[in-house]
């Protein structure tokens, strides 16, 4: 755990007074930041599971655009292009949680992509019985066995590389929990050319 890691680093430093203090501080900062991320993610997961939120009309396409815009600097730094499209897609729920859902999906698609010249496609579509948000990305060839584990907490999958932006392994688990709390579903599909297609389906907002 992050706390155990911090304790180990401090023990090592205590017995090595000649060690590099600046390097230790950098490592402790990284461990602490990860602990904060993990705590916030677990709290968000619990909040979604308990459905402790007020519902209001939400346009999912606008939230997807906001999330894509927020993550654009990260995408540009990694050489990934994000394309968004969509209709007015009205559903009912928590704007904060649904924005987090969009952000997690797009973040995963950016981080787990090709090393260069990758693509992410985000689309929101109205359907007769609900609304669908689909996020696709280029990437490595995945197996059905791997994909089946990606919504489990703390699972990144064998082929997924750890990086400074890889998160704590709760991204898709949180998406699944938020979708379920909004009476929706999450579907993961392999892309023939590599990468993943993720679709969240939510009920339409009641008149």
């Amino acid at each position: 755990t992050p706390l155990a890691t911090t304790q180990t680093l401090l023990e090592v430093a205590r017995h090595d007074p000649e060690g590099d203090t600046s390097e230790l501080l950098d490592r402790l900062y990284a461990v602490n930041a990860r602990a904060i991320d993990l705590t916030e993610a677990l709290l968000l997961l619990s909040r979604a599971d308990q459905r402790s939120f007020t519902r209001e009309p939400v346009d999912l396409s606008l939230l997807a655009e906001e999330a894509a815009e927020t993550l654009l600097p990260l995408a540009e730094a990694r050489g990934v292009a994000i394309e968004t499209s969509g209709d007015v897609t009205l559903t009912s729920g928590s704007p904060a949680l649904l924005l987090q859902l969009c952000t997690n999906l797009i973040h995963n698609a950016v981080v787990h992509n090709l090393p260069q010249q990758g693509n992410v496609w985000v689309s929101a579509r109205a359907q007769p019985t609900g609304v669908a948000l689909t996020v696709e990305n280029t990437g490595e060839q995945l197996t059905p066995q791997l994909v089946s584990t990606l919504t489990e907490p703390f699972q990144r999958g064998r082929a997924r590389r750890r990086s400074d932006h890889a998160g704590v392994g709760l991204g898709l688990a949180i998406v699944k929990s938020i979708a379920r709390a909004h009476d929706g579903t999450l579907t993961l599909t392999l892309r023939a050319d590599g990468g993943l297609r993720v679709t969240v389906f939510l009920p339409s907002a009641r008149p």
Side-chain angles (χ1 to χ4, degrees):
T1 66
L3 288 177
T5 303
T6 299
Q7 183 176 358
T8 300
L9 289 173
L10 291 173
E11 285 293 325
V12 171
R14 188 163 66 90
H15 292 91
D16 184 17
E18 303 299 325
D20 186 346
T21 304
S22 62
E23 181 182 353
L24 172 64
L25 289 175
D26 288 342
R27 295 177 69 183
L28 287 173
Y29 179 83
V31 171
N32 185 63
R34 181 166 169 76
I36 292 171
D37 289 345
L38 176 59
T39 301
E40 290 178 346
L42 288 171
L43 289 172
L44 184 62
L45 190 61
S46 174
R47 180 185 171 201
D49 284 339
Q50 294 176 12
R51 302 192 179 204
S52 56
F53 56 86
T54 302
R55 291 177 179 266
E56 58 184 270
V58 181
D59 186 343
L60 199 59
S61 66
L62 294 181
L63 295 183
E65 288 181 8
E66 180 179 345
E69 185 174 337
T70 300
L71 291 167
L72 191 57
L74 173 63
E76 291 176 342
R78 302 177 73 94
V80 174
I82 302 178
E83 296 181 19
T84 61
S85 63
D87 312 317
V88 174
T89 46
L90 291 178
T91 187
S92 177
S94 162
L97 286 177
L98 291 175
L99 177 59
Q100 188 67 52
L101 177 148
C102 296
T103 301
N104 283 15
L105 285 179
I106 299 172
H107 181 274
N108 274 11
V110 169
V111 171
H112 302 295
N113 211 304
L114 296 174
Q116 55 186 349
Q117 296 183 329
N119 289 284
V120 173
W121 299 277
V122 182
S123 65
R125 296 284 181 262
Q127 299 183 356
T129 58
V131 298
L133 174 68
T134 300
V135 179
E136 299 186 50
N137 69 316
T138 50
E140 298 181 3
Q141 291 283 351
L142 305 176
T143 65
Q145 293 77 15
L146 173 64
V147 171
S148 68
T149 69
L150 295 182
T151 59
E152 298 174 10
F154 306 108
Q155 296 295 321
R156 292 190 191 88
R158 174 182 53 81
R160 299 197 154 195
R161 293 182 291 272
R162 181 81 177 98
S163 76
D164 291 341
H165 299 281
V168 295
L170 285 169
L172 288 178
I174 289 173
V175 169
K176 182 178 180 180
S177 182
I178 293 174
R180 184 173 58 234
H182 288 77
D183 304 312
T185 59
L186 172 68
T187 304
L188 278 61
T189 308
L190 291 170
R191 296 182 71 248
D193 297 330
L196 196 64
R197 178 184 298 109
V198 184
T199 300
V200 172
F201 182 83
L202 301 173
S204 298
R206 294 185 178 89

